[in-house]
Amino acid sequence: MGIPYTRIARSAARPTAGAEPLIIGYRAMQRPEQWNTALLELVNHGRDPEAAPWRTVPTRRLDRALTALCPELCTLPRPTGAEPGDPAHDYWFLVPRDIPDPLPPEALEGMLNLWVATLPGTGAPRQVADALRALRSAPPVWRDTELDLFGCPTSEGGTALPRPYQYRLAMDWLARRIEQLPPYASGGELLHFHAVPRGPADRGAELMSQPLRHEAGGKVWWWSVVIRLSLHSVPFDPLPRVHFSFGVRRWATHPSRTTGRLYLPPGRRTSVYLRCPVPWLPGAPLTGRFTIARLEWARDRGSHVWHENDPAGLLRPLTANQPSPLPSPEELLTEPAARLGEGPGVRAAVVHSAAMGTHAVERGFMSHQRSQLFDWVRGALPAQLVAVPDLGRSTVGDHQPHNRPSRQQADEAELARTAEDRRTALASAMSFLADEGYGDHPVDPSRPAVLTLRLVWTTHRMRREAIAALASVLGLKGDGGDPEHATGSAPGSGADGDGEAEAAYDNAAPGTPVVLEWHTPELTVHLRCLPSAGLGDGLAVGTGRTVRESFVKGVMERRRTVAQWLTADGALPDRPALAVVEIDQGVFGTELADPKYALRLGCADAGVVTQFVLVPRRGRQNGKAYNTERSAAHRARMSWLDGFRQLGVRVLPEHSLGGLLPEGLRYAAVWAVKRRGDGPTRTALRHPLPVALLMTPEGSGGGRARIHGWDLERADWVPYPAMLVRLTRSTGPERLKEFAADLNATDPTVTDPDPGAETEPETDPGSGAAAEDGDSGEAPRKAEGDLGGVRLREEQRRAMEGFLQHVLPTLRSAPTVLFVHAQNLRSLWTWVQDGRVGRDLLRSGPAPASGLDPDLRLVRIRDGGGDAHETPGWWGTDHPGGVNGLSAGLWGPDPATVDRSGKDARVFYSTTEKAVQFGQSAVRADKLAPRPVTQGPRKGELVLDTEVPAWNPHLAEIAVLGCHRQDGDEPAAYALLAHQLRQAADYQDALAKPLPLHLAEKAEEYVLPLPPRAEAADTP
């Protein structure tokens, strides 16, 4: 990966050891129920006596309005009762004492009057009048307070527990200091940054530059630089730390040639960033900060309107006399560029999303430019904060596993060895299934194992590509008896013989397929080729009384048909097999008609695991051209490889740690299938489904391992493919109804789209900023009055603890390291939260934590994925030419996580090479100013990288939470093991997680609907 850096820096800062506390004065407003009792009496008026009364006044709508119209305010979420800190710090909103009052009495009174009219119980005019009279007689007043922005208690395990207000206030205070820095000298245009408002549930702060102009393709495109700040904790570090991240926000400025208007994705709200030359509210001071409004489709008006809770909606009366009125939605949609940049009146910028089509400006910044931006931001750090120290490369051992081929080793001998390893692994997997009672053929050690595969094809082009790809990945010699080769004509040539061969494939049917056969010393391969016969056609979703009923009926009918079809071809439910299924894309009128999920369920009912591959075609989707014909061979290859994974076949990375790890060490992983409602498929399980996986190396070399999964019905380990097909049993009509409702919510073609769904994350500054459960261990946030949500979460946690109490005892028979993923599991298994965990202890239920079982180790992985940026950016720092680039390796330990003895560090960091597709992206790429090319035929030429996508491997945090130091365990060895397990030989690129976690996560495909109009096979 270019320069082998020996040190990396991180875009993070932490309090200076021994520094004075950072105490800042604020004006604070108490919560409404603390002003007087009139508001609580109002919201409880007329409430059902059987229902629990409101104990707090619901403020969500006013919170949104305050965020929009008073961007200087910091609005805090209500506490959950489980946070560390003093209840006296439970303020509603605050503002630094040294800035003018952003909410003078006249504006506050007007907002409160409008808000009271929206509260529950406002159907009683007398009670509303009484509440307003009480507010006028005793209006809320600011209270002066002083708060420590970074001082916080620590957990019993020695981890910082940031106070709830610090997540917002500390980051907002730092953002204000960044606003006051001199403009950023980019080498091109000077960048001026202004803060963006954050909602009560949003952690951190965000700043954004002015819109920047870029010319490409004969058009002018606009974009801005974004800086995000967030507060985090790290296991066993007694001080919190601040992460800084840098990104791109693109603006939509090109109306459709057909309609003359911007295309806004149906069923979603689109954010618009606003800056006003005068205050939004009467009497308020001028602010340089952005505010946010959202456009949404109003079906009753047949047009786009401002969302009712935004400046032009709920608070329209307060802004009616605004000397610089908001632009109308029609004006923004037809002339979106007219309000960009500097100029008179309200400035407005509509956020671009991928669904709107292409944009010439690509996302992200490469490592060197991120380091330059961080250097500038460091100028805003007070004396109480200092950048975290650089990390050195770990010296515990070789950073690559023994059997990880380098990208330069792709010669014939290496390819042949890899293919042989796959055959051996498949043979081992088939023998393993037979040994466990799931085999298709009895075990005969004197003969090669038999592997039966199915290819369910739609086009002859992909059929040929899939057959060739199978022969390639397994190193199979000969044509396997392919009828197309038997005719003597070249496949696909159009000759008469070719037509006869195609007819043979066309006439195949369940029970009478075209069977290709290859023999190798390790394996006999049977490939049963069947035309799809309409199984991949769209579901009939217009046949029920409701959309939900139609979806359930369509899935269940197709599921039953597919299971019967495969059973007729000899598939057996207790004999796991693999089918690669070719399916079309973009031909379904609605996402609910997409048949992939029904196909997967039906195949699983017949005992067949599935992998999908797209029909090769070209066209346009969401305004963007695509061509899957060019990548057909690659996609076919990846489909087989990912299909083998579902059979439990993966070449296990062979660690290079020797005696530093116990002999016969097994690898386990626990994953919760729960997909958030804003995830790729927008479906979420009310009761998350736990998945456990156990990999047992066979010890004979070649990276072979036996892979078990936990069967929830039998409460025992079964072969991995058997677990996958059994998971589908949890998907009955009731769960399908839940999925239908979620899919329906954002599908514009169904009858009841939900206008509340946001566009992709870049459109919503608060999206995902608050972790599902904080990295300092606080309880999940709940909606006001949502006691049912709290009870549900407790029920979910008890279920996970019960699952763990079944699984963990089975890991005692041999040395085992258990891998968990922080963001996935901590909300359900609270022990792995930063603020709960203790060194070398374990708790899986209500009983107190106790020591680890002698054979168990616990390693937690946390990555920087999503908007929460839970791990910071990074770059190599010791290049002789001063270029801060990228390098793969294990780094650390993090010195802040060392125990009192100074010898027991537990937190390390893993980085990998760039993905192959981004291998040519330059680490010194510059989106802001031209730079000289440093090598190649264009050396010395000036280039601008605004149109080049930037991709940086994330920094994976590896926390060795539990091991046996007294028995000689070395935490660095287990961290390096986790790093090596990301480097599986049969994946072209490194994995985001260690292989056991990766395989456990993949079980989601058998529980939740597949991403619509996506191909899961193309990226492992």
Side-chain angles (χ1 to χ4, degrees):
M1 193 177 180
I3 301 296
Y5 293 90
T6 59
R7 304 191 68 78
I8 64 169
R10 294 164 288 168
S11 55
R14 69 192 289 269
T16 307
E20 291 293 321
L22 182 59
I23 308 294
I24 302 298
Y26 283 89
R27 290 195 297 274
M29 186 70 69
Q30 291 183 309
R31 298 195 183 274
E33 60 273 10
Q34 297 171 329
W35 301 341
N36 54 56
T37 60
L39 291 175
L40 266 182
E41 293 172 357
L42 173 63
V43 297
N44 282 307
H45 178 76
R47 190 169 177 82
D48 187 342
E50 299 296 322
W54 288 93
R55 295 179 175 84
T56 61
V57 179
T59 60
R60 187 174 303 172
R61 298 192 76 189
L62 185 54
D63 289 343
R64 295 195 190 110
L66 288 170
T67 299
L69 293 181
C70 304
E72 298 286 351
L73 291 178
C74 283
T75 308
L76 301 182
R78 288 188 179 275
T80 65
E83 301 93 335
D86 186 347
H89 292 155
D90 176 25
Y91 296 115
W92 184 11
F93 48 83
L94 305 93
V95 65
R97 199 183 297 162
D98 59 357
I99 71 170
D101 184 354
L103 199 56
E106 178 185 355
L108 177 59
E109 181 182 357
M111 293 183 72
L112 291 178
N113 289 343
L114 289 170
W115 166 62
V116 167
T118 70
L119 291 174
T122 52
R126 184 174 64 82
Q127 282 72 21
V128 172
D130 290 344
L132 292 174
R133 192 178 304 111
L135 285 177
R136 284 192 294 271
S137 63
V141 295
W142 293 103
R143 293 173 177 264
D144 285 345
T145 186
E146 291 187 338
L147 297 173
D148 186 345
L149 294 189
F150 292 99
C152 63
T154 58
S155 70
E156 292 183 7
T159 301
L161 296 173
R163 303 177 191 276
Y165 69 81
Q166 291 173 331
Y167 289 99
R168 285 283 287 112
L169 293 187
M171 299 304 96
D172 178 77
W173 185 84
L174 278 176
R176 293 178 190 276
R177 288 180 63 92
I178 294 174
E179 284 183 298
Q180 295 167 10
L181 288 175
Y184 177 71
S186 65
E189 188 173 351
L190 291 176
L191 300 188
H192 302 266
F193 285 89
H194 298 277
V196 173
R198 309 288 281 176
D202 299 333
R203 296 182 177 184
E206 180 177 295
L207 301 102
M208 189 169 68
S209 75
Q210 76 272 25
L212 304 174
R213 177 188 175 99
H214 177 69
E215 295 186 19
K219 294 182 179 180
V220 175
W221 307 83
W222 294 86
W223 63 291
S224 292
V225 180
V226 175
I227 302 174
R228 297 185 179 92
L229 297 75
S230 52
L231 188 69
H232 299 275
S233 59
V234 171
F236 315 126
D237 183 354
L239 298 175
R241 53 186 71 183
V242 182
H243 294 173
F244 299 85
S245 62
F246 309 95
V248 166
R249 179 164 288 133
R250 302 175 294 180
W251 306 116
T253 55
H254 297 292
S256 164
R257 294 179 181 177
T258 304
T259 65
R261 299 160 54 87
L262 282 181
Y263 169 75
L264 302 187
R268 305 179 183 181
R269 295 176 189 149
T270 298
S271 294
V272 180
Y273 284 73
L274 305 167
R275 286 190 69 208
C276 187
V278 296
W280 290 107
L281 298 176
L286 179 63
T287 176
R289 293 188 162 195
F290 290 96
T291 191
I292 303 171
R294 289 170 293 175
L295 292 171
E296 64 182 3
W297 178 258
R299 189 185 308 166
D300 56 341
R301 302 185 192 179
S303 64
H304 284 91
V305 298
W306 293 110
H307 177 52
E308 285 302 300
N309 283 351
D310 291 333
L314 175 67
L315 304 174
R316 186 182 301 277
L318 290 178
T319 57
N321 298 321
Q322 173 67 258
S324 297
L326 285 169
S328 69
E330 184 66 20
E331 179 185 349
L332 276 182
L333 295 177
T334 54
E335 298 183 274
R339 296 272 184 162
L340 276 170
E342 298 300 323
V346 175
R347 313 315 296 164
V350 181
V351 175
H352 172 86
S353 70
M356 296 180 180
T358 58
H359 198 289
V361 178
E362 287 288 355
R363 301 181 187 223
F365 294 101
M366 287 303 293
S367 56
H368 188 68
Q369 190 153 47
R370 286 188 291 113
S371 73
Q372 293 173 324
L373 286 163
F374 182 60
D375 282 344
W376 176 74
V377 165
R378 287 174 65 173
L381 296 181
Q384 291 89 343
L385 287 180
V386 63
V388 296
D390 291 358
L391 297 175
R393 187 180 292 273
S394 173
T395 58
V396 71
D398 188 349
H399 287 197
Q400 283 202 333
H402 285 315
N403 58 341
R404 172 68 169 173
S406 70
R407 292 173 178 174
Q408 288 73 37
Q409 290 178 335
D411 55 18
E412 290 294 329
E414 180 64 26
L415 292 174
R417 187 190 70 78
T418 302
E420 181 181 354
D421 284 348
R422 287 196 191 100
R423 296 197 304 270
T424 303
L426 280 163
S428 177
M430 295 302 102
S431 298
F432 170 45
L433 285 171
D435 291 343
E436 298 277 329
Y438 294 90
D440 197 20
H441 297 274
V443 177
D444 183 351
S446 65
R447 303 181 63 182
V450 177
L451 172 67
T452 299
L453 306 169
R454 286 179 176 82
L455 173 61
V456 182
W457 57 273
T458 299
T459 64
H460 288 288
R461 164 72 187 280
M462 183 51 74
R463 172 181 56 76
R464 297 187 186 101
E465 296 286 5
I467 293 172
L470 177 64
S472 174
V473 298
L474 294 183
L476 305 175
K477 305 300 182 183
D479 58 27
D482 190 337
E484 289 192 333
H485 291 273
T487 63
S489 58
S493 65
D496 291 341
D498 190 30
E500 294 175 6
E502 287 189 356
Y505 280 104
D506 289 335
N507 294 330
T512 57
V514 173
V515 181
L516 308 185
E517 184 173 322
W518 293 269
H519 298 272
T520 73
E522 307 84 5
L523 199 64
T524 295
V525 180
H526 295 159
L527 179 62
R528 302 172 70 89
C529 302
L530 292 161
S532 59
L535 294 180
D537 293 348
L539 303 179
V541 294
T543 58
R545 291 175 301 173
T546 65
V547 171
R548 185 179 301 188
E549 181 182 289
S550 295
F551 174 73
V552 173
K553 181 180 179 182
V555 169
M556 296 302 289
E557 288 181 353
R558 183 65 54 83
R559 177 179 187 172
R560 189 163 43 249
T561 299
V562 171
Q564 293 171 348
W565 190 81
L566 285 170
T567 300
D569 193 53
L572 297 172
D574 59 348
R575 298 291 186 267
L578 167 66
V580 167
V581 181
E582 183 186 9
I583 192 168
D584 211 341
Q585 81 160 1
V587 297
F588 314 118
T590 166
E591 290 179 7
L592 294 177
D594 192 327
K596 288 197 295 294
Y597 190 46
L599 286 170
R600 175 149 283 168
L601 294 176
C603 289
D605 290 344
V608 176
V609 295
T610 46
Q611 188 57 50
F612 297 105
V613 63
L614 288 181
V615 166
R617 66 165 65 242
R618 65 180 69 188
R620 298 187 67 83
Q621 187 172 332
N622 292 333
K624 189 173 183 178
Y626 67 87
N627 185 348
T628 58
E629 294 179 351
R630 292 179 299 186
S631 59
H634 170 73
R635 293 185 295 105
R637 175 184 177 86
M638 297 309 299
S639 294
W640 287 117
L641 291 176
D642 207 40
F644 295 158
R645 180 263 303 169
Q646 296 177 54
L647 288 177
V649 176
R650 270 295 175 257
V651 178
L652 180 67
E654 296 178 327
H655 72 75
S656 58
L657 289 152
L660 289 176
L661 297 178
E663 186 176 352
L665 183 66
R666 304 181 302 179
Y667 313 133
V670 172
W671 186 267
V673 180
K674 59 181 181 178
R675 195 72 57 84
R676 290 173 60 103
D678 57 357
T681 61
R682 299 179 304 283
T683 54
L685 298 182
R686 179 176 176 83
H687 295 283
L689 197 68
V691 172
L693 179 135
L694 180 63
M695 302 184 73
T696 306
E698 294 193 312
S700 54
R704 293 192 296 277
R706 294 197 165 193
I707 307 178
H708 286 90
W710 187 261
D711 186 336
L712 293 170
E713 293 182 4
R714 295 174 52 180
D716 199 1
W717 296 104
V718 298
Y720 181 69
M723 179 199 72
L724 293 180
V725 298
R726 287 170 179 267
L727 285 174
T728 62
R729 297 179 182 178
S730 67
T731 306
E734 291 307 312
R735 179 163 289 173
L736 288 173
K737 289 178 182 178
E738 293 180 27
F739 293 160
D742 290 326
L743 287 169
N744 181 15
T746 51
D747 192 333
T749 63
V750 298
T751 57
D752 189 24
D754 174 12
E758 291 286 351
T759 52
E760 65 173 359
E762 73 168 347
T763 67
D764 184 2
S767 175
E772 184 172 348
D773 276 88
D775 52 17
S776 61
E778 74 272 16
R781 309 208 179 279
K782 63 181 184 293
E784 292 157 325
D786 184 15
L787 297 178
V790 175
R791 287 194 292 267
L792 175 61
R793 176 50 59 88
E794 290 303 317
E795 184 180 319
Q796 293 170 343
R797 287 176 172 170
R798 287 194 297 270
M800 175 58 73
E801 290 171 350
F803 172 79
L804 291 168
Q805 289 163 13
H806 279 94
V807 171
L808 293 179
T810 69
L811 304 179
R812 295 172 179 167
S813 59
T816 305
V817 55
L818 173 62
F819 294 99
V820 297
H821 186 261
Q823 290 100 320
N824 170 259
L825 203 58
R826 66 187 174 207
S827 64
L828 301 173
W829 187 16
T830 58
W831 177 249
V832 299
Q833 293 177 3
D834 286 357
R836 304 288 180 88
V837 73
R839 273 181 171 85
D840 306 330
L841 298 174
L842 188 70
R843 180 179 58 76
S844 59
S850 58
L852 285 173
D853 184 89
D855 279 326
L856 186 63
R857 284 83 177 166
L858 178 62
V859 176
R860 193 194 75 176
I861 310 297
R862 172 161 55 183
D863 55 43
D867 287 347
H869 303 286
E870 294 194 34
T871 61
W874 67 279
W875 48 83
T877 59
D878 53 352
H879 188 286
V883 177
N884 295 328
L886 303 172
S887 187
L890 180 73
W891 309 92
D894 189 323
T897 67
V898 178
D899 70 348
R900 294 178 181 177
S901 71
K903 299 179 180 179
D904 190 16
R906 295 301 184 92
V907 178
F908 302 79
Y909 296 90
S910 168
T911 61
T912 61
E913 295 182 347
K914 288 184 292 186
V916 170
Q917 68 190 98
F918 298 103
Q920 299 304 312
S921 56
V923 295
R924 64 171 75 230
D926 194 325
K927 275 186 161 61
L928 296 167
R931 64 172 180 90
V933 178
T934 58
Q935 57 186 355
R938 300 177 62 191
K939 184 176 181 179
E941 181 180 335
L942 291 179
V943 296
L944 184 63
D945 301 295
T946 310
E947 300 169 43
V948 179
W951 188 88
N952 299 272
H954 74 260
L955 188 67
E957 177 192 281
I958 302 173
V960 183
L961 302 181
C963 64
H964 300 283
R965 295 287 282 160
Q966 70 279 10
D967 295 331
D969 277 356
E970 176 56 56
Y974 288 95
L976 183 55
L977 172 67
H979 174 70
Q980 291 187 356
L981 286 173
R982 298 180 63 193
Q983 304 172 64
D986 45 4
Y987 287 98
Q988 189 175 32
D989 295 316
L991 301 171
K993 306 172 184 70
L995 183 61
L997 269 176
H998 174 79
L999 295 179
E1001 180 185 14
K1002 283 293 185 178
E1004 289 182 343
E1005 298 172 356
Y1006 284 81
V1007 181
L1008 298 170
L1010 300 177
R1013 295 181 176 87
E1015 186 174 19
D1018 287 351
T1019 53

